[in-house]
Amino acid sequence: MTDIYPPNSRYYGLPIRTVEKADGTKTEFVGRRIIPARSRYRALTHHRSAGDERIDTVAAEAFGDPELYWRICDANGDADPATATAPAGRLIVIPLPLEIADDGDA
């Protein structure tokens, strides 16, 4: 299997699955991603939200890559990135990657 997603994608490393319909047509899809339990994350640092910022901006500041916003969302239990920095003043965990925090058992 060739990984079609870059290493900073939340879908990196997930298997590509195929389903065959009754008429014989096949459809590929990405296998299910299970979000790790919040207890597995360790804080690298914290960020106090200004309330009017976006989570990808926070990720760019913290990790140097805005596309790693999903790590912050996962560690803080946020299903919706659009509301991940609300309300203003919220203390947001900036996590270590699970590969580090979990001794490689991600």
Side-chain angles (χ1 to χ4, degrees), residues 62-96:
F63 302 131
D65 185 348
E67 293 187 22
L68 290 175
Y69 72 89
W70 57 271
R71 286 186 176 179
I72 299 171
C73 289
D74 287 358
N76 288 279
D78 293 311
D80 184 2
T83 60
T85 58
R90 176 182 180 193
L91 190 61
I92 299 170
V93 172
I94 307 298
L96 283 167

Side-chain angles (χ1 to χ4, degrees), residues 3 10 15 24-25 27 30-31 41 43 45 49 59 61-62 64 68 70 76 80 82 89 96-97 99-101 106:
D3 209 317
R10 72 174 83 190
T25 59
T27 302
V30 178
Y41 290 93
T45 190
S49 170
E61 181 182 312
L68 290 175
W70 57 271
N76 288 279
D80 184 2
L96 283 167
E99 297 84 4
I100 296 170

Side-chain angles (χ1 to χ4, degrees), residues 19-27:
V19 65
E20 186 173 346
K21 296 180 182 178
D23 66 1
T25 59
K26 295 180 181 181
T27 302

Side-chain angles (χ1 to χ4, degrees), residues 27-81:
T27 302
E28 289 187 340
F29 62 96
V30 178
R32 185 174 181 185
R33 177 178 174 266
I34 305 298
I35 298 173
R38 289 175 61 191
S39 62
R40 289 182 54 194
Y41 290 93
R42 301 292 175 259
L44 170 65
T45 190
H46 293 83
H47 174 81
R48 183 74 62 186
S49 170
D52 61 347
E53 61 196 332
R54 294 176 7 173
I55 197 65
D56 59 339
T57 304
V58 175
E61 181 182 312
F63 302 131
D65 185 348
E67 293 187 22
L68 290 175
Y69 72 89
W70 57 271
R71 286 186 176 179
I72 299 171
C73 289
D74 287 358
N76 288 279
D78 293 311
D80 184 2

Side-chain angles (χ1 to χ4, degrees), residues 40 97-106:
R40 289 182 54 194
L98 283 179
E99 297 84 4
I100 296 170
D102 231 7
D103 295 324
D105 188 23

